[in-house]
Amino acid sequence: MPPRLPLMCLAIAATLSSPAQPLHAADRPAAASVDYQRQVKPIFRQHCWACHGALKHESGLRLDAAQLIRKGSDDGPVLVAGQPEKSLLWQKVNARLPDRMPPEGKPLSADELATLKAWISQGAPAPQSEQPPTNPLNHWSFTPIRRPSVPQPDSRSKHSRTRNPIDAFVAARHKAANLTPRPQADRSTLLRRVVLDLTGLPPTRDQQHRFAADTAAGAYERLVERILLSPLYGQRWGRHWMDVWRYSDWYGRRSSNEIRYSQRHIWRWRDWIIEALNDNTGYDRMLLEMLAADEIAPGDDNALRATGFLGRNWYKFDRNTWLFETVERTSQGLLGLTFRCARCHDHKFDPVTQNEYYRFRAFFEPHGFRTEIVSAEVKTEVDNGKSTVLSDGLPRVFDEKLDAPTFLFIRGDDRNPDTDNPLSPGVPAALGGKRFDKTPITPITLPPIAYVPILRPAEAAKRLKTETQKVVATHKLLTTLETTIRTTATQLATARKSPPPDDSPNRLAFSDTFKSLDKKAWKVVSGNWSARDGMLVQTDLGTFLTLVSTTDHPRNFKLTLKYRTLAPGNPRSVGFSFDYAGPKQSHDIYTAIAPNSPTPSIQAFHRTGGKEIYPQAGIRKAPSLKLGQDILLEATVIDRSLTIVLDGKTVLEYALPMERRNGKFALWAHRAHVEFDEIQIHAIRPTIKSLEQSLLLARRDLPVKQAQAALAQAQLDSLAARIAAEQARHQHDQAAGDKLAMAASRAEGEAGVARASLKLAQAPGQAASKALVTAIAARDAADGSYTRFKATYPTTSTGRRTALARWMTRRDNPRTARVAINQIWLRHTGNRFVNTVADFGIRSKPREFPQLMDWLAAELIDSGWDMKHIHRLIVTSATFRRSSAPGNEPAELINREVDPDNRLLWRMNSRRMEAEVVRDSLLAISGTLDTAFGGPDIPEAKGQTSPRRSLYFRTTPDNKMLMLELFDLANPNECYDRQQSVVPGQALVMTNSPLALDRSRRLARQLASEITGRLGPTTDANRDLVTADFITAAFESVLGRGPGREEQAACTAFVSRNARLLADTRSLKSFPAGAGSVVAASSDPFARALENLVHILLSHNDFVTIR
Amino acid sequence: MTLRLTATPTTPCGRIPRRTFLADTGMGFTGLALGAMLAEDGVFGTLGTARGAETSEAPAWSPPSGLAALAPRAKSVIWLFMIGGTSHLESFDPKPALNKYAGLTIDESPYGERVVNSPFYRKNVRDFAGTPRKLMNRLYPLQIGYRKRGESGIEISDWWPHLSTCVDDISVVRSMWTTDNDHAAQLQFHTGRHIFDGFYPSLGSWVHYGLGTLNHNLPRFIVLGSPPRDCCGGVGAHGADYLGPEHAGVKMRINPTNPLPFGTPGSSVFREERADQLGLLKQLNRLAAVEYPGDKAMRARVKSYELAFRMQMAVPEAMTLDGETRATRSLYGLDKGTTKAFGQQCLLARRFVERGVRFVQLYHNGWDAHSKLIANHSSKIGQTDQPIAGLLKDLKQRGLLDETLVVWGTEFGRTPGAENSDGRDHHPYGFSVWLAGGGIKGGTVHGATDEVGFHAVEHRHYVTDLHATVLHQLGLDPKTLEVPGHKRLEIDYGKPIHQVIA
């Protein structure tokens, strides 16, 4: 902070220096007398009140009322009436920095200085009646909620139509303002209103007919009860709360699967919101779980989903941005507290300080996020920048850095923390901070399931699955070996019966002299390969340019290869692959002649999993090799042995390090041109000696493979037993626990024995035998102890977020319930108790119904934060049921004069449907909406084709369904209140989108077939009847009501006119192509006219309006 | 025609309570014009008197009037944005010292001290991913020559032969700086905020918000070309954030038959058939309106359908280049493969401003020359040099340049030191932009970087100074464009660069 010198010091400076010279053209004569209220007070308000007002009075000076200005500061008067030059007040605003006031921000303009000067010159007149502003702490939103008494309705007056206390509060205001409330809306309007309000979908025709028929008393109330039980309610109100809690699917760089904001799988939080609402979970419980499910329900995966509320603020690149968002969104959305100014300095208007901002941040300082495994089947994928991540999972909060200190950032600059003063968590004093500070925050001891991941069933299942896979793999190897032993033994027996002559020629399996490039024998993988002059030639200069055989080579074989390496390129390698299964898997041999390396070489290497591995043992110098000279390469491969003979000399005897497998063979040139003359591959027949050798090796390997299989099984058993024991231990089941611990102890001992047995099988010897004896002894001495699983995460949590959530939902918290009730009321009625729904600060003011707000807030709290109770109260009130039409009775005309904006709810407000409701309704009326619940976000591009409800589509700042965006979709970064614009883009969606065209055509066909099913196929005789019935059905489907007489007439005229127009389309002009509609218009002009009628009804203002 | 509605300060989605005066700002791309039309229809009635100062303390807020507060010098803006970071050193800011000390490190050159110990070095930059970007230390010589151009003698590199012929109409600012050294600087260049601060309204959306329309049938803010990728701000670079989506740029495809989202019902629908439907719609809405007198939303909706229908006709017309002469087409380079794509955008930009569109934002991608600077920049400049020069000449010959402000910009410059032996890295400390037309003083250079083109040292300008200049030329005072609940900082407003204004 810059030095903000108290006024006192400056006063001394001012008296010592010569009288202040005017610095601006401020001494121009003021023409007329200055009006304090209109001209002067705004100057003080803008420039001075932040430090010299009701909130803060630095140097004891307040400038927010004339009498206080006259009173002066702690150091005496600042104003000498009639003499601006002698008034410290004037001197200060007219001075240069650093003496000037205000010390920060803009100085007063020349005009403002002139005004102020003139006012002082004129004797600083001000109205006597002016009252100093009251203490901000007395502002309504800082005082606890007290339940106001319900006004007694006057039974004789026109305002007496009250159904519940809501109406009594509203009626009292009507009476005072002499308003005549409108009667109840007609039943079809009311039905559509309440069904849309609570489910987000319009009533079906069937629902309309049933409700119309139910004329018994209480029909409406029964309807409301039914709807409140419908799970569609959760989807509708879930979306509302998703706005306020700023739900966003993850975003960043989708193209490289890189998350930068929010959480993968955060849709689980969305599903939690919907389920919690349908279960009528209390609002207090919802906040508690969203902020601290990891502390209050650490083992409950369902509850942990709620912490997506915090995870949504995650930001990959900057922890401070992340915490800044966390503080801001939590305080605005839940408390109506705008905290963001206080990040850099004390709030200018509200009684919150910068220090309090950072104390609030301290609640969140330790928290971090992680993703839990949700099933054994879960796969992983690569996140660019975060490496491997789970393809499915549960993102959840936990306190990661328990000791992370919180410091105030000087001027909000995170590079400048005030490290001398670490801060403890706290809430602003104005909101009850002192009471909060009295209760110490107690750290929470977490159950092991919260920090030992394997105790989670899904994690255990996944680990056991991995171990089981090892068992299967080792058994497979064992079985293969056993088969090899059997077949080799049979071969040997056969050979011994009729021994082959040891020098029997090997069979020629493959040969080519390259008269041509035989497409049947070879396939080009890369490079420029051709046959000419009896040579196979490769003339490109790329890496590993490869020609591969179409057939496998024999397992044991002898290769003869004649070729010449040619000039360009470096290092000029030419090679041969065998056991080839693509460029990532092969054994290879090659010759390399590098111009800048003195000695050419011959090498063996192998490729596996995409890597090339060059063992030192496979490298031999070959000085005789020369560019352009013939090379004769002979290689013999028998099982795992490789022998290379170069120009008649054995140069390499090598044990292949990798398991053999069947495969193709290939020729390749790496940065080299090459000419091959000939290739021959002979299959090597087994001899008795070689068979004996193979059998010996295989039998020697058998105990190892057996031990490996046994070990895998023992490890699986051991893991399973340890998990079972550990789970029992934590469930405090003593008896079962002891038994299972013993089993685990023994199973672990068995695994030890199996491990020692394997070592012995691999390398028999005294030490290994001894180790086995020790392992057996250890197993036999099993005493119930076993290797415990270690904690992966902290075993305690700070309890800070729980403390915060509990404070928020205390009965004496002045904000939480009011903020929530304002949101609910706004979304039911279009009316606001407080205009600024996310700012209940000093400058906010309850509008017309402060008492009703507090009554409902008290009702919310006292009902156990029962939101359905509040919905029920509101939608069954007379206030909610009123017609939204203004009416034409004389008294109603007065309403329009007195309260044109309906702030006092003398009628219901008409509201534009939210974006999701528009799209869902469109799908619903044509019977094609899929109301399925939950699941990962659906790509927004599928919005025109997928029939799922709109809230399940991907919504992020980067991904928004265009149709929804045009209808004012919530800004996923911040949306406490949607707007309701009217833009031409909406008209284009409703008239041109495939969704609107296709669904209206479908609906028209459904309705037409229903009617013709009743009246018979359309003919000239019944056409009028069909048309009339169709119009009624179309109105009911789309607008939720039947047509009026004039509407019926207009539509009838349209249908015949439109059908006539379409009877001959030759002279008609088409629109350009490119809409993507899939349902073609009917070819019959009459049917098409009916489709056009339904289609244009979607554009009716009453379709997108909730009346 | 003047509309003055007062409304209570509130923030729906951080915005304004549209419903209370949706007849005005809520009209989206037809905006105030529609408001005006409704006013002419007498729709507003007593609207103005019913509200007023809700709280006695705060002065009543009102939405912008749609009229310029100051005398406007320009009616429209064409905003040319080069995505990836154009090298100022090979374009508009010659630094012979780089040739002299090429191959030396900055420390070894006589300027090392000044570069690294500058108060701006690193301290000004907020590092992406928490790690400071490496100093590209080895000075890399200029990859192209410069010469003095036009009467003003401003030096432009030889890679820009066409633009060089327009130099007396442009004003180069060589002293821009920004604070993001990664590509989210693209967002910052348009919103004035580092991406760590989140998303804010873009310059075009402020213009949209502040000014009325000149054409009732076209969007006020049109975007052509591929926007930044999501990493770098994405559509946020022409977004409106808290101003509301109706103030965002309308991205158009360069396809005259279907340029708008949902712009056509497809060829299976006849225009006459649709007109017949709209006739019925009007009738039905009018019948329903009887019960709801004074329902502004309904009136606005009826108008919006008529506007949409007109837009469906007007937008393809504006995008059809059939009527342009061969000379005009070749002026923009439409006859050459390399220049055709951007030439088309530039020509469309002219057609749009000719028709009264307020803000046309053009994107050109691919300037991020970490290596192979010569190949990259000679190609990228080759694609844009002639179209941009063609645009300036065409505007001038049609007398449109006086009222059209053309701004050329990029998110940052490129390092004086070499990266990967033949490229340059991102450089937020000093870079160039230029302006032309719309009351800009042609043939001037303003501001300067240091001897090696590292730091902006004379007349330093943060990106919002450029915004302030644009708004100033349009006659808008950014401080009158406040939105309740969204406090702007002094740096958000910037200061007009008066030295480049005629």
Side-chain angles (χ1 to χ4, degrees), chain A residues 79-88 90-91 117 120-123:
Chain A
L79 183 120
V80 183
Q83 301 191 50
E85 255 63 354
K86 289 194 178 163
S87 300
L88 189 59
W90 162 254
Q91 293 167 8
K117 190 174 185 191
I120 301 174
S121 300
Q122 290 165 12

Side-chain angles (χ1 to χ4, degrees), chain A residues 7 22 43-44 94 105 180 262 296 305 404 511 530 555 582 591 599 626 807 870 885 935 951 1003 1019 1031 1071:
Chain A
L7 215 51
I43 299 175
F44 289 133
N94 197 36
T180 311
S262 191
I296 59 150
R305 294 178 300 170
S511 77
S530 62
R555 178 175 166 85
T591 54
T599 319
K626 292 210 169 49
W807 164 76
I870 300 296
L951 85 162
L1003 173 60
T1019 60
I1031 292 168
F1071 279 97

Side-chain angles (χ1 to χ4, degrees), chain A residues 56-77:
Chain A
K56 267 200 229 169
H57 9 276
E58 303 215 339
S59 304
L61 177 64
R62 282 179 67 168
L63 299 173
D64 50 348
Q67 50 177 287
L68 298 172
I69 300 172
R70 288 201 199 91
K71 201 176 130 224
S73 75
D74 293 343
D75 307 302

Side-chain angles (χ1 to χ4, degrees), chain A residues 766-836:
Chain A
Q766 214 169 14
S769 303
K770 222 170 153 186
L772 178 60
V773 172
T774 312
I776 292 170
R779 176 197 62 194
D780 295 342
D783 59 355
S785 66
Y786 56 90
T787 310
R788 303 284 306 278
F789 296 104
K790 286 204 182 75
T792 308
Y793 304 107
T795 58
T796 59
S797 193
T798 59
R800 293 184 186 187
R801 285 175 284 106
T802 302
L804 176 64
R806 295 223 188 271
W807 164 76
M808 280 190 190
T809 51
R810 274 171 66 138
R811 183 68 176 77
D812 62 357
N813 184 301
R815 288 288 175 86
T816 314
R818 282 178 174 135
V819 169
I821 214 72
N822 194 38
Q823 289 285 5
I824 295 173
W825 179 252
L826 166 66
R827 283 168 168 76
H828 274 301
T829 65
N831 180 284
R832 304 140 186 277
F833 291 134
V834 180
N835 246 346
T836 46

Side-chain angles (χ1 to χ4, degrees), chain B residues 31-43:
Chain B
L32 291 149
L34 181 55
M37 284 156 52
L38 292 173
E40 285 157 16
D41 292 353
V43 169

Side-chain angles (χ1 to χ4, degrees), chain B residues 385-427:
Chain B
D385 177 36
Q386 189 188 344
I388 294 172
L391 172 66
L392 292 175
K393 287 173 185 166
D394 197 23
L395 288 171
K396 197 170 181 182
Q397 74 192 10
R398 287 165 197 265
L400 287 167
L401 191 57
D402 292 340
E403 58 190 46
T404 307
L405 174 57
V406 182
V407 182
W408 178 96
T410 182
E411 68 258 37
F412 39 48
R414 307 213 72 93
T415 49
E419 182 182 16
N420 297 327
S421 80
D422 59 354
R424 298 187 189 276
D425 198 2
H426 310 160
H427 191 71

